């Protein structure tokens, strides 16, 4: 089972995406902003990330810049929404 992290500050959008992914057989982890997503990625790395760009606390580009700075996760697939 593929674990996908959905990072989006719009809870309705995040839940809709998560539902579609779960129906397709994936395990989904949700984070409402880049800061929480970063903590989640570092603790329990998903197989891929779906990332919103405009979010409070830490936006998508800032999140992606930090993720790419860690060697063990810099090749993690990220799809920008």
């Amino acid at each position: 089972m593929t674990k996908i992290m959905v990072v989006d500050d719009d809870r309705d959008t995040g839940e809709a995406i998560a539902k579609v992914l779960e129906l397709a057989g994936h395990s989904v982890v949700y984070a409402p902003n880049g800061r929480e997503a970063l903590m989640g990625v570092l603790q329990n790395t998903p197989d891929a990330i779906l990332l919103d760009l405009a979010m409070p606390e830490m936006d998508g580009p800032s999140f992606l810049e930090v993720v790419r700075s860690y060697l063990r996760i810099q090749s993690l697939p990220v799809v920008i929404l």
Side-chain angles (χ1 to χ4, degrees):
M1 181 181 306
T2 304
K3 181 172 40 172
I4 301 174
M5 176 178 278
V6 176
V7 187
D8 196 322
D9 62 321
D10 183 331
R11 184 163 286 284
D12 291 337
T13 301
E15 288 177 358
I17 293 169
K19 185 69 152 179
V20 170
L21 293 170
E22 288 169 350
L23 289 172
H26 302 288
S27 169
V28 179
V29 177
Y30 172 78
N33 61 61
R35 189 169 313 283
E36 287 188 35
L38 185 58
M39 289 187 293
V41 166
L42 294 174
Q43 293 173 1
N44 193 6
T45 306
D47 298 303
I49 297 173
L50 298 180
L51 178 66
D52 183 21
L53 289 180
M55 296 179 291
E57 294 189 44
M58 177 186 269
D59 64 10
S62 298
F63 167 80
L64 194 52
E65 183 178 339
V66 174
V67 166
R68 296 298 183 229
S69 72
Y70 284 89
L71 287 177
R72 72 178 179 92
I73 58 173
Q74 69 183 186
S75 63
L76 182 65
V78 177
V79 176
I80 297 177
L81 302 173

